[in-house]
Amino acid sequence: MNDKLPPSPPEQEQEGASPSLSVDWRPDPASPLPLHAQIAAHFLAKIRTGAWPSGMRLAPQRELCRRLGVNRSTVVTALGQLTALGLIEGRRGGGTFVTDTSSAETERSGNWNDYVEEGIHYPNLPTIQDINRLEYEPGLIRLGTGEPAPELLPGAAMNQVLAGLSQRVLPPLSYEEPLGSPVLRAAVSRMLERSGILADPASILITSGALQGLQLIALGLLPRGSTILLEKPSYLYSIHAFQSAGVKFSGLPLDGRGLIPERLAAEAVRSKAAMLYSIPSFHNPTGIVMDTERRKELMEVTGRLGLPILEDGAYQELWLDEPPPLPLKALDREGRVLHLGTLSKAASPGLRIGWIAGPEPVVRRLADIKMQSDYGASSLSQWAAASWLTGGYHEEHLHTLRRRLRERRSLMLELLRLHCTGLATWNVPAGGFYIWLSLLHAGPPRKLFTAALHAGLLLNTGDLYDRSDRRHLRLSYAYASPAELERAIPLLAGLIRAGG
Ligand SMILES: Cc1ncc(COP(=O)(O)O)c(C=O)c1O
């Protein structure tokens, strides 16, 4: 065991990972036991059971106050009691840690703090870890969340689908084929055909969300040390699937029409790129749609270079004004494009159903890795997804979802016009969820994130999608309710005006 974190991926340097603390517990004000005693007892149990191992860092006091919903003196008293018991200690250089009690015996059995810093997968960026946790704290307005609000998800229709499944003679309790349920693959194939993509079920692999598709491709198709080209900013910078597999990133500039083919060609040659990753429709985070001309040029340039493309179509069906141009996969005659899709962005992020369409040997190779990692996406989810698609529910739901997203988009744009004019500029997205807010004055993203948090707002700052960015926010009109947006945008404007 060495004592270092896995080296940070290039461009991903940030302060250390957030301390862990279970968030599903708060002291009970109605209990006869004082709050500080409840906290001390809870922490003591965590330490005694080994859930918090020797040497683990506790969250800073201010953070503890917020998470536990108590004031500073309560936390200080509780920590004082644990310090007196020798269970925690302050360290020079700052921070409170679970006392290192490692004896020769624990040394032999290993120190978990070393292990958790040892694996080959990079940890999430600290801000992403914070967001992943804070999204479940009540009371915060989620201004950047990349999923539809629960009230925009099709609960009633999905209940019908599930009720239909429960009428089957037997529920789907077995594993499915390596490529996934044939019924679901046939349904996805028909759905892709409506978007112009011809992929028969043998060319489709069902994944646990599009995210797993990215992971399988990173692990299965790209050698360590190879380079992938991508838009900068990009969703891909906010996850570490590729860097953890030893793949390097080379970010390409975007203009209002998407990737710039000449820049791409030059960089592909310079970096000897192995693949291009692109989100051509309703790009995450900028909302940009690559126009038809650019798509053709892109196919032409990459064709000359023999460069494979990974097309992420996560948002393509979420058009609000008019359908986007044909997907790159629909223009592909050589089997050079892998196309990713998902049910997460329209129907249900929780079902965890996505797909990869590509040449048969490629999807079979990826299916083989998938069989070694999870034996397939949940059979229940696959059956629900198949009924959802074959029953025509999806198309009907998209119709309603688009209307409701249009309303929220209009509201967000109007609020930005009223409160952010003179502070920032922004795009008018033609689909998807995002507005890429460009602040007129750059500033430290973490400062704005923290100030917003204290004001009750959860932000996705631009640095999550481009490590050097200091002037953007990814706003989403898909999650916060209209009433929340009306409260949040003036607050946000105030914070921007005050410089975070
Ligand atoms: C561009 C893009 N691709 C893929 C994903 C992963 O989605 P899921 O794994 O939920 O299908 C996301 C989610 O935010 C995304 O924005």
Side-chain angles (χ1 to χ4, degrees):
M1 289 287 149
N2 68 33
D3 56 1
K4 289 194 298 290
L5 274 174
S8 295
E11 299 187 289
Q12 318 254 331
E13 301 288 347
Q14 284 212 8
E15 63 223 63
S18 305
S20 52
L21 172 71
S22 60
V23 288
D24 48 0
W25 182 85
R26 282 188 167 204
D28 176 6
S31 158
L33 209 58
L35 295 177
H36 64 79
Q38 294 181 51
I39 294 170
H42 182 74
F43 284 21
L44 185 123
K46 291 278 186 191
I47 296 168
R48 288 265 157 87
T49 57
W52 293 359
S54 291
M56 193 196 90
R57 185 191 187 120
L58 299 193
Q61 287 185 6
R62 196 158 75 161
E63 179 75 3
L64 288 175
C65 295
R66 212 178 44 71
R67 292 201 216 163
L68 297 165
V70 297
N71 61 34
R72 190 75 166 250
S73 62
T74 307
V75 164
V76 169
T77 310
L79 295 183
Q81 289 169 354
L82 294 167
T83 309
L85 290 170
L87 291 170
I88 59 170
E89 60 191 7
R91 287 206 190 148
R92 217 174 298 142
T96 304
F97 294 78
V98 176
T99 305
D100 197 346
T101 52
S102 42
S103 59
E105 199 181 324
T106 52
E107 285 286 287
R108 264 198 313 281
S109 61
N111 176 341
W112 285 115
N113 295 302
D114 287 341
Y115 283 91
V116 297
E117 293 168 358
E118 195 66 19
I120 57 164
H121 208 292
Y122 293 118
N124 258 319
L125 296 169
T127 304
I128 300 250
Q129 292 188 2
D130 289 342
I131 291 173
N132 287 344
R133 179 172 43 76
L134 291 164
E135 283 185 338
Y136 295 93
E137 279 204 12
L140 286 176
I141 300 180
R142 293 162 59 167
L143 268 186
T145 296
E147 64 179 293
E151 68 272 17
L152 297 183
L153 295 175
M158 196 58 83
N159 261 342
Q160 284 181 25
V161 164
L162 296 175
L165 280 190
S166 73
Q167 301 305 308
R168 283 166 47 106
V169 181
L170 287 173
L173 297 180
S174 307
Y175 296 124
E176 290 286 346
E177 295 180 19
L179 288 178
S181 141
V183 187
L184 177 55
R185 285 185 286 121
V188 169
S189 169
R190 285 192 295 277
M191 180 188 186
L192 288 174
E193 195 175 344
R194 285 196 292 279
S195 74
I197 295 173
L198 296 180
D200 64 35
S203 312
I204 294 171
L205 166 66
I206 302 301
T207 55
S208 300
L211 179 56
Q212 190 188 39
L214 294 169
Q215 239 134 15
L216 294 172
I217 290 164
L219 288 171
L221 302 182
L222 294 165
R224 291 191 78 78
S226 60
T227 298
I228 182 163
L229 302 178
L230 73 170
E231 287 123 357
K232 190 170 183 173
S234 173
Y235 164 70
L236 220 52
Y237 282 98
S238 70
I239 57 171
H240 289 152
F242 283 84
Q243 295 103 323
S244 299
V247 176
K248 292 181 280 186
F249 280 177
S250 175
L252 298 168
L254 286 161
D255 64 17
R257 300 172 52 208
L259 280 170
I260 305 161
E262 307 82 63
R263 300 288 292 270
L264 185 157
E267 185 53 21
V269 173
R270 196 202 62 76
S271 64
K272 301 194 182 70
M275 192 177 273
L276 165 70
Y277 169 83
S278 176
I279 312 167
S281 296
F282 317 120
H283 176 258
N284 178 4
T286 65
I288 290 170
V289 180
M290 193 187 295
D291 67 24
T292 305
E293 197 58 31
R294 280 284 169 88
R295 290 182 194 226
K296 286 187 182 151
E297 285 170 24
L298 190 88
M299 289 305 291
E300 212 256 312
V301 167
T302 52
R304 257 191 281 125
L305 295 165
L307 185 67
I309 299 177
L310 172 51
E311 174 180 46
D312 191 333
Y315 299 89
Q316 72 184 28
E317 58 187 355
L318 287 173
W319 53 267
L320 300 182
D321 299 326
E322 56 181 3
L326 284 179
L328 299 172
K329 180 83 189 141
L331 309 176
D332 176 26
R333 298 284 163 265
E334 308 151 79
R336 207 158 38 78
V337 180
L338 302 179
H339 179 88
L340 287 188
T342 177
L343 283 186
S344 289
K345 302 300 170 182
S348 167
L351 270 187
R352 306 309 299 136
I353 292 292
W355 50 87
I356 303 172
E360 290 181 24
V362 175
V363 295
R364 280 205 303 271
R365 159 81 173 130
L366 300 177
D368 181 59
I369 302 175
K370 183 164 164 55
M371 287 306 277
Q372 297 176 66
S373 43
D374 66 1
Y375 285 129
S378 149
S379 303
L380 286 170
S381 281
Q382 293 194 61
W383 276 89
S387 305
W388 174 254
L389 293 177
T390 52
Y393 294 95
H394 193 62
E395 286 306 310
E396 205 177 311
H397 167 63
L398 276 174
H399 194 70
T400 319
L401 180 63
R402 288 192 190 111
R403 179 173 51 72
R404 298 177 71 186
L405 286 175
R406 270 184 218 116
E407 289 164 7
R408 288 182 182 221
R409 175 184 62 170
S410 301
L411 174 65
M412 178 76 111
L413 290 169
E414 178 58 10
L415 290 169
L416 289 175
R417 191 187 63 76
L418 282 174
H419 301 285
C420 292
T421 303
L423 295 174
T425 57
W426 52 90
N427 59 314
V428 176
F433 299 157
Y434 307 121
I435 291 178
W436 189 231
L437 193 74
S438 181
L439 308 179
L440 296 190
H441 299 289
R446 188 69 198 187
K447 190 171 162 220
L448 184 57
F449 178 84
T450 309
L453 197 56
H454 289 129
L457 309 179
L458 194 53
L459 295 182
N460 285 50
T461 45
D463 57 320
L464 305 179
Y465 310 99
D466 168 0
R467 217 56 69 236
S468 59
D469 188 281
R470 290 164 61 84
R471 61 183 327 138
H472 289 94
L473 295 178
R474 185 188 83 172
L475 297 180
S476 160
Y477 43 86
Y479 200 88
S481 68
E484 286 178 329
L485 288 179
E486 286 182 13
R487 254 185 299 138
I489 300 299
L491 276 176
L492 176 65
L495 294 171
I496 297 171
R497 197 171 288 112

